[in-house]
Amino acid sequence: MTEQASAQQVVRDHLAKIHEQPQVPAAERVELRDKIKRLLKERNAVLVAHYYTDPEIQALAEETGGCVSDSLEMARFGRDHPASTLVVAGVKFMGETAKILSPEKQVFMPTLEATCSLDIGCPIEEFSAFCDQHPDRTVVVYANTSAAVKARADWVVTSSIALDVVDHLDSEGQKILWAPDKHLGDYVRRETGADVLLWDGACIVHEEFKAQGILDLKKVYPDAAVLVHPESPASVVAIADMVGSTTQIINAARDLPNKQMIIATDQGIFYKLQQLVPDKEFIIAPTAGSGATCRSCANCPWMAMNALDNLAYVLEHGGNEVHVDPALGVQAMKPLTRMLDFAAAKPKS
Ligand code: 13P
Ligand code: SF4
């Protein structure tokens, strides 16, 4: 089985498991939430969550002075927060990024099993050999990668800053080696006109969005704006009214005049969308081809592994601490810091 096919099987297995799993009863959920709040305080810990995690985890992060955001802001927030312990609800690369940027802090995750198809599809040995074949290129890697891949890079970027960084490098005449997301890399290449050589990786969630399905949906909602995450295929990006990171999608949903929005990213974002823009209607973009049994399967199976019970468990008992090889961490901190410094210097739009 190829990496991509096996990653797709993980999604199918995981979605099947979610449907099978009995829901934790409401009373137990209240107890878990109270316990998490108490333990965060006792442990001088702060909860840093991504928009794709369970809405109850996002709410807890907000209520306890943590943060809910895209991956760029998660990195910045974790680095700059004075708490001695970070609890990162998201996927592995987010926990590793937090540890690399704050080696002196303890970083925990509800589960260390939550990875990402982009990270899986970019093993360090092959990636390093690819870089060695192209020594004339500046190596730009997406944040959705291992610590070892970051350590091999000149720049790390997230989807919210990728265009600006590559535009800047292009203006200096630099040629780019981009990894791992081919869709985001191709989008960056088209938008900036830079010379970008692509690694062949993809997000198993965003790759499934279907342009034809969105066009069919537009017949039902002709006034809806189409908001797309750039990990989606070019055919989907081509029909978007706006393309951007999760935070940029939320801002566009607030700022665009349309009353209805078709959203091509993980459904976890609907919690924040509905909270911040309650007067608008959000419709998930279809992922299903003809004959499929689910209309949209836009749920990252790894993000969904973060739950109230495993979050409470790590706070109570420890375990699931994120460790990064210190030598790799020192190397990986350089391109990550370069990204955060670049973002901080960028005029606010
Ligand atoms: P953002 O940086 O836009 O939050 O994206 C992270 C991610 O993993 C999207 O699939
Ligand atoms: Fe990775 Fe895609 Fe999940 Fe984001 S949604 S963490 S890119 S698999």
Side-chain angles (χ1 to χ4, degrees):
M1 211 187 276
T2 62
E3 288 287 4
Q4 201 62 28
S6 75
Q8 273 161 8
Q9 190 55 45
V10 172
V11 177
R12 280 192 286 273
D13 293 349
H14 187 74
L15 288 173
K17 260 195 226 144
I18 290 176
H19 293 305
E20 273 165 24
Q21 261 169 22
Q23 280 293 305
V24 178
E28 221 176 289
R29 302 181 81 82
V30 173
E31 262 178 49
L32 283 170
R33 280 200 298 267
D34 289 347
K35 187 193 264 187
I36 291 165
K37 284 187 192 173
R38 176 175 55 77
L39 290 170
L40 281 168
K41 219 184 241 168
E42 283 174 18
R43 306 249 185 283
N44 185 22
V46 67
L47 180 56
V48 185
H50 190 264
Y51 295 121
Y52 295 166
T53 55
D54 181 335
E56 281 182 291
I57 293 182
Q58 297 186 47
L60 273 170
E62 289 167 332
E63 288 164 20
T64 56
C67 109
V68 182
S69 66
D70 67 4
S71 51
L72 179 68
E73 175 58 12
M74 284 175 81
R76 191 209 61 78
F77 183 93
R79 182 195 63 177
D80 295 349
H81 199 281
S84 57
T85 302
L86 305 175
V87 183
V88 177
V91 293
K92 194 170 130 212
F93 79 83
M94 295 170 172
E96 285 184 346
T97 295
K99 183 67 188 174
I100 293 164
L101 287 167
S102 305
E104 75 291 358
K105 294 179 187 166
Q106 277 196 298
V107 179
F108 294 93
M109 298 188 76
T111 168
L112 297 178
E113 305 288 299
T115 182
C116 166
S117 61
L118 289 165
D119 189 345
I120 294 171
C122 191
I124 181 60
E125 296 77 17
E126 288 165 44
F127 176 66
S128 211
F130 186 54
C131 296
D132 290 345
Q133 284 161 22
H134 304 281
D136 55 326
R137 289 180 179 267
T138 301
V139 177
V140 181
V141 303
Y142 196 27
N144 303 36
T145 44
S146 65
V149 166
K150 288 186 179 77
R152 185 68 174 79
D154 299 303
W155 284 82
V156 173
V157 295
T158 71
S159 57
S160 65
I161 198 91
L163 279 180
D164 299 298
V165 168
V166 173
D167 212 21
H168 162 73
L169 297 174
D170 182 47
S171 73
E172 291 186 338
Q174 301 190 44
K175 295 197 292 176
I176 312 296
L177 182 154
W178 170 276
D181 189 348
K182 64 180 173 191
H183 296 302
L184 177 56
D186 191 32
Y187 169 67
V188 166
R189 175 165 62 185
R190 292 194 307 274
E191 289 294 307
T192 62
D195 181 338
V196 182
L197 180 68
L198 299 177
W199 179 265
D200 184 12
C203 160
I204 48 165
V205 179
H206 291 86
E207 193 169 45
E208 291 302 309
F209 287 116
K210 303 286 184 292
Q212 189 53 53
I214 295 174
L215 292 173
D216 291 345
L217 207 52
K218 282 280 283 183
K219 291 181 194 146
V220 185
Y221 302 99
D223 299 327
V226 178
L227 278 46
V228 170
H229 196 282
E231 290 168 9
S232 308
S235 57
V236 172
V237 167
I239 56 172
D241 295 292
M242 174 270 164
V243 182
S245 76
T246 46
T247 294
Q248 289 164 341
I249 287 176
I250 291 169
N251 291 342
R254 184 195 57 207
D255 297 341
L256 287 171
N258 312 58
K259 287 288 174 205
Q260 292 162 327
M261 310 273 168
I262 297 171
I263 307 292
T265 194
D266 182 285
Q267 297 188 39
I269 203 172
F270 278 48
Y271 166 72
K272 259 279 163 236
L273 284 170
Q274 282 156 354
Q275 184 194 54
L276 293 179
V277 200
D279 56 327
K280 295 189 183 175
E281 185 183 359
F282 300 103
I283 305 130
I284 187 70
T287 56
S290 58
T293 48
C294 81
R295 193 179 65 78
S296 184
C297 308
N299 275 116
C300 175
W302 294 294
M303 288 282 185
M305 288 176 170
N306 295 274
L308 288 183
D309 52 1
N310 53 16
L311 174 54
Y313 188 90
V314 290
L315 279 164
E316 192 165 25
H317 303 286
N320 291 350
E321 183 170 356
V322 178
H323 294 285
V324 173
D325 175 271
L328 271 186
V330 168
Q331 273 306 111
M333 193 197 263
K334 293 178 197 165
L336 274 168
T337 303
R338 205 166 277 148
M339 168 180 78
L340 291 176
D341 289 349
F342 185 91
K346 198 182 139 210
K348 296 276 168 279
S349 53

